[in-house]
Amino acid sequence: MKFASRIALSAAAATLAVALAPQLMAHGDVTPQPVDTSDLPDIEGGNDVWVARNPYSGNARAIEIGASAYNQNCARCHGLQAISGGIAPDLRYLEPGESGDEWFQERFRHGSVRDGKVYMPPFDEVLGQKAGWTIRAWLETQYTEE
Ligand code: HEC
């Protein structure tokens, strides 16, 4: 019984992977949209030295910028309002505070590559730290318990 259901599960996973592949590749071609963060205070150490904790958490202007930056750069995979349609993780569940910041930063900077396939492209070089933290500040306002 256990064995059979495991086979059914992995078959479903394989079907999903095949269905997703062309979509993810198409997504990968979309040009990242620049984000204007000139209204926000600079980050200590500059845009290239990543800090552990989101300096814009709770900052109203950052949240506004982040909402639009998210829509233009992330929503096509993670869904409008951060409500996932199933292609990528639902980012409303990302923990608020520092532990969520750490995981956010890891994915934003480095993306996700598994078995040579790009599941998520890296965004650090194209958007930069300031823009990244605005998105994270907006995401925190969408936080929902799982
Ligand atoms: C091409 C599709 C795509 C785009 C565009 C994309 N992501 Fe992702 N993202 C993914 C996938 C797929 C995963 C899951 C990766 C994995 O599990 O290996 C992921 C994972 C994440 C995670 C970790 C979530 C978790 O619960 O583990 C965060 C945070 C994240 N993305 C943020 C963003 C942000 C912010 C943007 C926009 C700047 C963005 N992503 C753009 C596809 C995408």
Side-chain angles (χ1 to χ4, degrees), residues 59-144:
N59 178 318
R61 181 65 185 132
I63 290 168
E64 199 180 332
I65 295 169
S68 130
Y70 173 89
N71 279 333
Q72 294 184 22
N73 293 287
C74 322
R76 64 179 186 270
C77 291
H78 289 283
L80 288 171
Q81 305 298 125
I83 302 171
S84 169
I87 297 182
D90 195 308
L91 297 181
R92 291 173 303 163
Y93 302 144
L94 205 61
E95 248 178 90
E98 189 155 349
S99 59
D101 283 357
E102 269 172 35
W103 190 222
F104 175 89
Q105 163 170 170
E106 166 67 25
R107 282 293 180 241
F108 183 86
R109 294 172 68 183
H110 307 296
S112 171
V113 180
R114 284 195 262 149
D115 298 332
K117 283 193 215 92
V118 177
Y119 281 74
M120 172 172 159
F123 281 93
D124 189 15
E125 296 210 342
V126 286
L127 296 184
Q129 179 176 201
K130 284 180 83 176
W133 288 131
T134 68
I135 296 173
R136 167 66 176 150
W138 175 75
L139 277 175
E140 268 187 325
T141 69
Q142 305 298 304
Y143 174 68
T144 309

